[in-house]
Amino acid sequence: MQRVSKASVTVDEETVGKIGAGFVVLIGVSRDDTEQDADYIVNKVVNLRVFTDDDGKFTLSAADVGAELLLISQFTLHADTRKGRRPSFIQAAGPELAQSLFDQTVGKFRETGLRVETGVFQAYMMVSLTNDGPVTIMIDSADKERPRRG
């Protein structure tokens, strides 16, 4: 997710989603993801405190500030580049599962009451954003199972 002051997404030169201050959330669905992974992601994005208070400290969440969300499906987040020169996307969910979980995730974000816009699933999209900070944070639902280091 990237904190933005504004963002938009176009498909075939038509703007299909546009937001003000908030987050652009690039969502990659893996072949092992479930609805519980969607719940985890929605909870983290909405409640992670990465908006600043009057003292410039990260104390406010998207829910606190009424952030707007632009959700973009992006299977390339699951690119495996460890071998060779062409990325492998074997871990990415197939289109049917990916669309189902993406749509569920969008619905869960809408239930939070925040303004939600999206791109078009499987379309070639042009995403334009003004990164605020910049603040970019990677959230992986698989992390909920991993022990903390240190």
Side-chain angles (χ1 to χ4, degrees):
M1 70 182 196
Q2 294 184 305
R3 191 177 72 185
V4 299
S5 58
K6 63 182 176 179
S8 64
V9 58
T10 60
V11 175
D12 296 329
E13 298 184 27
E14 177 186 341
T15 300
V16 296
K18 184 176 181 178
I19 64 167
F23 291 132
V24 169
V25 183
L26 305 172
I27 300 173
V29 179
S30 87
R31 61 186 185 173
D32 299 323
D33 284 342
T34 66
E35 187 175 349
Q36 288 72 36
D37 294 290
D39 290 334
Y40 179 85
I41 295 297
V42 170
N43 182 51
K44 281 293 184 185
V45 169
V46 170
N47 294 301
L48 202 62
R49 298 184 312 173
V50 294
F51 288 92
T52 55
D53 62 17
D54 292 337
D55 295 325
K57 297 190 185 307
F58 282 175
T59 60
L60 303 172
S61 70
D64 294 330
V65 301
E68 298 180 3
L69 306 174
L70 178 59
L71 309 177
I72 306 293
S73 175
Q74 189 171 359
F75 81 95
T76 59
L77 289 170
H78 288 288
D80 183 346
T81 60
R82 292 176 291 179
K83 190 173 172 184
R85 294 183 180 195
R86 182 175 299 164
S88 167
F89 300 104
I90 193 92
Q91 290 301 316
E96 189 173 298
L97 173 61
Q99 182 160 19
S100 175
L101 277 173
F102 179 77
D103 291 346
Q104 286 180 43
T105 304
V106 170
K108 291 173 183 295
F109 273 115
R110 287 194 167 125
E111 289 172 6
T112 69
L114 296 176
R115 180 167 175 259
V116 175
E117 296 281 318
T118 69
V120 176
F121 188 85
Q122 281 193 307
Y124 187 89
M125 295 177 273
M126 301 296 287
V127 179
S128 177
L129 60 93
T130 302
N131 202 324
D132 180 16
V135 174
T136 303
I137 297 181
M138 191 154 86
I139 301 171
D140 185 343
S141 60
D143 290 345
K144 69 185 181 298
E145 305 297 328
R146 293 186 187 124
R148 294 182 72 149
R149 286 193 253 170

